[in-house]
């Protein structure tokens, strides 16, 4: 089925476009009053597991702002849940895993599930979302990188350093690699199922990749992301976003990924240089900059597009949108891209 607005898919292919496409990481969520109304009625994982809620949340920002792509409302931690690891989402705290995996016995208890059974609710949410979108714009499916999932599974909660996760990898590398491989196998099956259910592209979020040194990044993160790219690139475009991973852009560019996400600490010029200048880049507006006045946001977005260049580029934030961003400011960000070149 052809997508009416295929700007995003064309940018991922590196085609010449009249303007770059735009979407925002975490656009389906906590800055929208219509999202908060649903959040007040249903807890987090109920929203993820109920297809009509997940699909409604996914399209809310599209109705309001008209982005060029939708991203399915879900969470990276549905993967460990499916792998026999308990995950809670605590209000005002974030993810909490009461039984973190920290030894060989823990790794042995982790299963590689049948994703079509354990994560069927995600596939149903994709089908429901595709109906609501009516092929107007593409739908993005996503997963966390194996390393980023390991961080939560071993640490047991969010962290500024993920010291326990790193300690596990460095003191028990055999068990760590077994765990990473189980997560990778599950993630590949999960993303393939998402493609079969109807997503038009996938994104791998390596949110905590920047916690590792370049050498450790290759060993504990990127080799597993590479497996995911290899398994999916012939079926769908794969975007890889590694926060704080500017040092890996050169390797990422050779990986077969369709596009690379860049965070706001790397200038457009450096991102183009480090990635070799041939691959589509996505990013990289500082999410906190959306607190600037709308006129300033528009000027900065235009400058950002000029620096990246309008082709082989997807306008986005350098990380997820923050909860307290005014709606007018989010609108200014999207509008600046739509008005580009006019």
């Amino acid at each position: 089925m052809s997508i009416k607005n295929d700007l995003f898919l064309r940018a991922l292919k590196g085609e010449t476009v009249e303007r770059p496409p735009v979407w925002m990481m975490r656009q389906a969520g906590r800055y929208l009053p219509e999202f908060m109304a649903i959040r007040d009625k249903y807890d987090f994982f109920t929203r993820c597991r109920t297809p009509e809620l997940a699909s409604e949340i996914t399209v809310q920002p599209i109705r309001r702002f008209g982005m060029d792509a939708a991203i399915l409302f879900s969470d990276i931690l549905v993967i460990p849940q499916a792998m026999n690891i308990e995950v809670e989402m605590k209000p005002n705290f974030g993810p909490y895993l009461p039984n973190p995996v920290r030894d060989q016995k823990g790794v042995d208890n982790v299963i590689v599930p049948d994703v079509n059974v354990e994560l069927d609710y995600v596939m149903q949410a994709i089908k429901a979302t595709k109906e609501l979108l009516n092929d107007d714009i593409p739908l993005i499916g996503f997963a966390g990188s194996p390393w980023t999932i390991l961080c939560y599974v071993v640490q047991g909660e969010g962290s500024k350093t993920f010291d326990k996760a790193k300690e596990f990898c460095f003191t028990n590398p055999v068990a760590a690699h077994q765990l990473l491989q189980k997560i990778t196998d599950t993630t590949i099956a999960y993303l393939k199922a998402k493609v079969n259910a109807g997503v038009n592209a996938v994104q791998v979020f390596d949110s905590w990749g920047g916690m590792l040194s370049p050498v450790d990044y290759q060993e504990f993160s990127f080799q597993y992301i590479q497996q995911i790219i290899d398994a999916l690139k012939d079926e769908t475009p794969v975007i890889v976003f590694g926060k704080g991973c500017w040092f890996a852009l050169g390797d990422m560019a050779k990986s077969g990924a369709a596009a690379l996400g860049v965070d706001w600490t790397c200038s457009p010029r450096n991102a183009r240089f480090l990635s070799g200048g041939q691959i589509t880049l996505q990013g990289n507006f500082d999410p906190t900059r959306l607190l600037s006045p709308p006129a300033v946001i528009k000027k900065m977005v235009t400058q950002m597009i000029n620096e990246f260049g309008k082709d082989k580029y997807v306008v986005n934030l350098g990380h997820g949108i923050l909860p307290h961003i005014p709606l007018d400011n989010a609108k200014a960000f999207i509008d600046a891209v739509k008005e580009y070149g006019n």
Side-chain angles (χ1 to χ4, degrees):
M1 192 66 207
S2 63
I3 303 284
K4 298 180 190 86
N5 170 2
D6 63 351
L7 197 58
F8 172 69
L9 299 174
R10 285 165 53 211
L12 292 183
K13 286 183 191 149
E15 294 177 10
T16 303
V17 291
E18 47 282 10
R19 67 162 175 87
V22 59
W23 67 281
M24 295 189 290
M25 289 189 272
R26 293 196 111 158
Q27 67 188 18
R30 53 212 177 155
Y31 68 108
L32 293 170
E34 53 269 44
F35 172 84
M36 292 178 219
I38 294 177
R39 183 189 63 189
D40 292 344
K41 281 189 203 157
Y42 306 96
D43 73 79
F44 183 79
F45 283 115
T46 300
R47 281 174 263 145
C48 291
R49 288 192 191 117
T50 310
E52 49 270 31
L53 292 178
S55 57
E56 167 61 23
I57 291 167
T58 301
V59 300
Q60 282 176 345
I62 311 305
R63 286 191 199 119
R64 192 181 269 276
F65 300 121
M67 292 85 168
D68 297 305
I71 183 163
L72 186 75
F73 175 76
S74 186
D75 194 81
I76 63 171
L77 297 177
V78 300
I79 288 262
Q81 279 183 332
M83 297 177 73
N84 202 27
I85 301 166
E86 191 183 343
V87 182
E88 301 168 16
M89 195 61 74
K90 288 190 169 179
N92 305 317
F93 179 81
Y96 176 69
L97 293 77
N99 306 299
V101 175
R102 292 189 184 156
D103 55 26
Q104 184 67 52
K105 185 167 176 289
V107 174
D108 292 342
N109 287 335
V110 174
I111 62 164
V112 175
D114 180 340
V115 295
N116 290 304
V117 175
E118 296 299 324
L119 293 164
D120 179 63
Y121 63 86
V122 179
M123 310 315 149
Q124 298 309 319
I126 289 168
K127 287 167 186 165
T129 304
K130 291 293 284 186
E131 280 188 28
L132 291 177
L133 288 174
N134 195 28
D135 289 312
D136 286 335
I137 56 170
L139 177 63
I140 304 164
F142 70 91
S145 73
W147 158 255
T148 289
I149 299 296
L150 176 141
C151 280
Y152 288 106
V153 165
V154 176
Q155 195 80 21
E157 59 186 29
S159 167
K160 286 192 166 64
T161 60
F162 286 100
D163 52 336
K164 293 184 178 77
K166 291 173 77 170
E167 180 186 350
F168 176 64
C169 288
F170 302 158
T171 59
N172 203 342
V174 173
H177 283 297
Q178 284 176 351
L179 179 56
L180 285 163
Q181 192 59 57
K182 284 183 173 184
I183 298 167
T184 302
D185 294 346
T186 305
T187 303
I188 288 170
Y190 175 59
L191 289 175
K192 284 192 166 190
K194 282 186 162 179
V195 173
N196 289 338
V199 300
N200 305 101
V202 296
Q203 176 156 319
V204 178
F205 283 86
D206 197 7
S207 307
W208 306 121
M211 297 282 169
L212 294 166
S213 73
V215 173
D216 290 331
Y217 186 72
Q218 284 303 326
E219 181 178 351
F220 293 102
S221 185
F222 200 70
Q223 65 162 320
Y224 295 100
I225 294 175
Q226 185 67 62
Q227 287 184 40
I228 296 169
I229 297 167
D230 290 344
L232 277 127
K233 66 182 181 187
D234 293 337
E235 295 181 27
T236 197
V238 181
I239 306 166
V240 177
F241 171 62
K243 185 167 182 290
C245 301
W246 58 269
F247 55 78
L249 285 171
D251 291 316
M252 287 179 175
K254 300 184 191 89
S255 67
L260 306 178
V262 184
D263 69 48
W264 68 93
T265 62
C266 188
S267 69
R269 185 180 167 191
N270 280 348
R272 286 286 183 210
F273 174 75
L274 292 166
S275 63
Q278 297 305 305
I279 192 166
T280 297
L281 296 178
Q282 174 178 281
N284 70 341
F285 202 75
D286 181 346
T288 316
R289 263 289 177 188
L290 289 179
L291 293 166
S292 297
V296 173
I297 293 169
K298 285 193 167 184
K299 190 174 159 202
M300 290 181 75
V301 169
T302 302
Q303 185 180 343
M304 179 173 75
I305 298 171
N306 288 340
E307 288 180 20
F308 274 105
K310 76 171 172 66
D311 294 325
K312 294 184 181 172
Y313 178 46
V314 175
V315 181
N316 207 315
L317 306 175
H319 203 220
I321 188 167
L322 301 166
H324 58 301
I325 298 300
L327 296 174
D328 286 349
N329 296 26
K331 185 176 188 303
F333 180 82
I334 304 296
D335 287 350
V337 187
K338 291 184 166 178
E339 293 159 9
Y340 184 79
N342 288 353

